[in-house]
Amino acid sequence: MSTIGAVTYEGIVAVTQSDATDDTNGPFAGFIVTVAGTIQFTNIRGGTVTLTVLAGLIYPIATKRVWSTGTTATGVYGLQSPPYKKIMDPGNGIVLP
């Protein structure tokens, strides 16, 4: 038996792409694009990832920056969820937003 969960987002905002700074509306609980392509982003742990994405699908990946360089997908929107609680990861000392 499996269980399928649902995720509720509080809002959606257009993402400001930047190679230098995190989006001031983030971090985001995920993102969606309106035109397929590639997206380069920084996750909340600081790792940079590049993915090929399809339009209209929700990508539930916690993201704090979408890069101008390496991003060909357009209409990038950040999905907002209830505010993240700051927690300390005991494994490496990283404070997660």
Side-chain angles (χ1 to χ4, degrees):
M1 176 181 273
S2 63
T3 302
I4 298 175
V7 176
T8 301
Y9 300 100
E10 286 187 342
I12 183 170
V13 296
V15 172
T16 302
Q17 298 177 19
S18 172
D19 292 347
T21 59
D22 297 343
D23 193 306
T24 58
N25 290 313
F28 303 108
F31 61 86
I32 190 169
V33 301
T34 59
V35 178
T38 59
I39 186 167
Q40 181 171 319
F41 62 91
T42 302
N43 63 32
I44 61 168
R45 290 185 177 259
T48 302
V49 180
T50 303
L51 297 175
T52 300
V53 294
L54 300 174
L57 296 179
I58 292 174
Y59 292 88
I61 304 167
T63 305
K64 62 182 182 178
R65 179 186 307 172
V66 174
W67 294 65
S68 298
T69 303
T71 299
T72 61
T74 58
V76 181
Y77 292 88
L79 303 171
Q80 297 173 318
S81 67
Y84 287 100
K85 292 181 180 177
K86 290 197 178 230
I87 59 170
M88 179 65 78
D89 181 342
N92 59 16
I94 295 175
V95 177
L96 302 176

